[in-house]
Amino acid sequence: MSTALTTVDQENVALVRRVTDAVNARRYDDMDELFAPNFVDHNPAWNVDSLQALKGLLAVAQEALDFRAGLDALYAADGGRVVMQITFTGRHVAPIFGIHPTGLPVSWTSIEVYRLENHKIVERWVQADTTGLMRQVGVLMPE
């Protein structure tokens, strides 16, 4: 059985990599050409119902946490999907989660699965360590 990537797989991986590049450069409008108009986000931690909402969330989070996304792994999967493992690193420099900035470093991880059709991202699933991030900035958690 061959493990070689098809041209479509390679293109899909390159397209998803461009999402991370746009986020790290804070060029959110560059994401417009990467996502389909009917994009659906499946992230249990945030209420994102459109690309515009996702870009707004990213802008607020980057303003508060001054983070960069580091790709730990990025690979093609079955069914036009791309899987990304990310470690975010930053510093808490503005209010987030109702907590004033601490200036402390923060880091958290995320596994994201993107589904693409016709060279556009149509769906994304996210499992991120949002609870760990909240603890780092000082959100009181139930015992």
Side-chain angles (χ1 to χ4, degrees), residues 21-44:
D21 294 343
V23 169
N24 281 338
R26 298 183 186 206
R27 294 187 326 259
Y28 311 112
D29 288 342
D30 289 2
M31 296 168 64
D32 293 347
E33 68 184 64
L34 307 175
F35 288 78
N38 59 337
F39 164 70
V40 176
D41 197 49
H42 307 279
N43 184 338

Side-chain angles (χ1 to χ4, degrees), residues 2 6 33 44 48 53 59 62 65 69 71 83 91 94-95 111-112 121:
S2 173
T6 68
E33 68 184 64
V48 172
Q62 277 191 312
L65 301 170
L71 290 177
V83 177
R91 185 167 302 281
I111 302 289
E112 302 182 4
I121 297 167

Side-chain angles (χ1 to χ4, degrees), residues 5 16 22 54 66 68 72 83 91 104 110 114 116 130-131:
L5 293 178
V16 171
L54 176 60
D66 194 25
R68 287 192 53 81
D72 301 321
V83 177
R91 185 167 302 281
L104 294 174
S110 180
Y114 293 78
L116 294 91
T130 306
T131 302

Side-chain angles (χ1 to χ4, degrees), residues 50-98:
S50 68
L51 177 56
Q52 282 306 113
L54 176 60
K55 291 176 359 181
L57 171 68
L58 288 167
V60 167
Q62 277 191 312
E63 182 69 25
L65 301 170
D66 194 25
F67 72 81
R68 287 192 53 81
L71 290 177
D72 301 321
L74 181 66
Y75 55 90
D78 290 342
R81 290 177 173 83
V82 174
V83 177
M84 179 189 298
Q85 178 184 349
I86 309 165
T87 298
F88 296 94
T89 56
R91 185 167 302 281
H92 182 204
V93 296
I96 192 165
F97 306 123

